Amino acid sequence: MSRESETIGNQIRVGLFVTCIVDQMWSTIGTSTVEVLRRAGCTVEFDERQTCCGQPAFNTGYRAEAQRVARRFIEICEESTADAIVSPSVSCTAMVRHYIQLFQDDEQWQRRASALAARTFELSSFLVRVLKLQDVGARFAGRVTWHDACHGLRDLDLHDEPRSLIAHVREAEFVELESADACCGFGGTFSVKYPEISAAIVDQKIEAIERAGVDAVVSGDASCLMQIGGRLSRIGSKTRVMHLAELLAGT
């Protein structure tokens, strides 16, 4: 397939919000996101000054600390001339939406947070809802299933978007996962504070994945995939975990 035939959609300037986990622990998600966006006809920019979005502090109840991090994140994004900020993380994208709540007592920062939230998108949402794309020229020979990450399903109302993208991956057979919308048990600091409960929750997810008999379980959040992948590895499963961006980047 030629580069010309791979490029689809209209030229849009995108700022990549790569997230901490992707940057530090799973860089191929970031590079795959760039590949998919470029294939979709976008130009991609990346500001190396990016910091944490503040989600860990926010979820643990440290609101003042979360505000300090969020203010810096907003300031950096405001300098971007990109048409949209796109992230391969449903939880971090959801956190940007929560900035409005975080600054509910500060009208100026709440207004700035609202403007940023309006142009920040998770990858599958951006491709399907904004670019109106379902087929990005991906290929994967095997059976795949989808795990609905909690932030994506409940905060961003994502359900059909990733499934429609997977349905258009050539040679891939999609298998709907039993209780796909059930939590994986990670929950950020929840898995650290309550490891036994976390392990019990993910074990139910693993049992469903094993019954599905798939080659790969796909999701839109690296933290969920680390939780699921770690448990699959411990039981010696041959099922691999893949981020949606990695699946869509395959040709």
Side-chain angles (χ1 to χ4, degrees):
M1 182 182 293
S2 69
R3 173 55 57 186
E4 289 75 15
S5 63
E6 287 179 346
T7 301
I8 51 182
N10 297 318
Q11 195 72 225
I12 293 180
R13 289 178 57 83
V14 168
L16 175 64
F17 169 25
V18 75
T19 80
C20 300
I21 289 182
V22 172
D23 181 42
Q24 299 295 322
M25 304 183 71
W26 205 326
S27 61
T28 55
I29 295 175
T31 55
S32 295
T33 299
V34 172
E35 169 62 26
V36 171
L37 289 170
R38 286 176 174 170
R39 197 186 302 166
C42 301
T43 58
V44 183
E45 63 180 41
F46 174 68
D47 193 327
E48 295 183 358
R49 299 174 302 162
Q50 281 184 35
T51 61
C52 175
C53 64
Q55 181 187 172
F58 178 81
N59 289 346
T60 315
Y62 294 96
R63 298 302 171 90
E65 290 79 1
Q67 284 180 343
R68 286 201 294 271
V69 177
R71 288 191 186 98
R72 180 56 178 159
F73 185 85
I74 292 171
E75 289 171 343
I76 291 173
C77 290
E78 284 177 337
E79 295 181 20
S80 170
T81 59
D83 301 298
I85 307 295
V86 178
S87 175
S89 168
V90 293
S91 60
C92 292
T93 302
M95 182 60 210
V96 174
R97 304 287 176 86
H98 284 306
Y99 282 174
I100 299 171
Q101 172 189 351
L102 181 63
F103 292 110
Q104 60 184 351
D105 297 325
D106 190 322
E107 183 178 348
Q108 178 186 3
W109 278 102
Q110 188 178 62
R111 183 169 57 252
R112 295 169 71 172
S114 181
L116 175 59
R119 67 186 185 110
T120 302
F121 302 89
E122 178 273 339
L123 178 62
S124 71
S125 174
F126 182 71
L127 292 172
V128 176
R129 297 178 184 177
V130 179
L131 298 185
K132 310 299 182 184
L133 295 176
Q134 294 184 356
D135 188 343
V136 295
R139 186 182 305 275
F140 179 82
R143 288 165 55 91
V144 301
T145 192
W146 174 260
H147 161 67
D148 289 298
C150 294
H151 285 94
L153 184 64
R154 296 169 177 85
D155 280 357
L156 303 179
D157 195 28
L158 293 175
H159 181 273
D160 296 342
E161 292 82 359
R163 287 171 171 82
S164 66
L165 290 163
I166 294 172
H168 286 83
V169 175
R170 291 157 180 78
E171 298 182 32
E173 177 186 354
F174 177 69
V175 179
E176 186 66 47
L177 184 65
E178 176 187 342
S179 299
D181 59 350
C183 178
C184 70
F186 179 70
T189 55
F190 175 87
S191 61
V192 177
K193 292 180 178 179
Y194 308 101
E196 295 85 1
I197 300 175
S198 174
I201 293 173
V202 73
D203 280 346
Q204 292 182 328
K205 179 69 65 173
I206 297 305
E207 290 171 4
I209 293 170
E210 290 292 280
R211 285 194 295 270
V214 294
D215 299 295
V217 54
V218 184
S219 191
D221 207 83
S223 56
C224 292
L225 292 171
M226 289 172 62
Q227 169 87 341
I228 295 170
R231 206 63 171 173
L232 286 170
S233 176
R234 289 185 183 93
I235 66 171
S237 174
K238 295 181 180 180
T239 302
R240 60 187 290 198
V241 292
M242 294 181 70
H243 189 279
L244 180 65
E246 294 177 307
L247 179 68
L248 297 181
T251 56

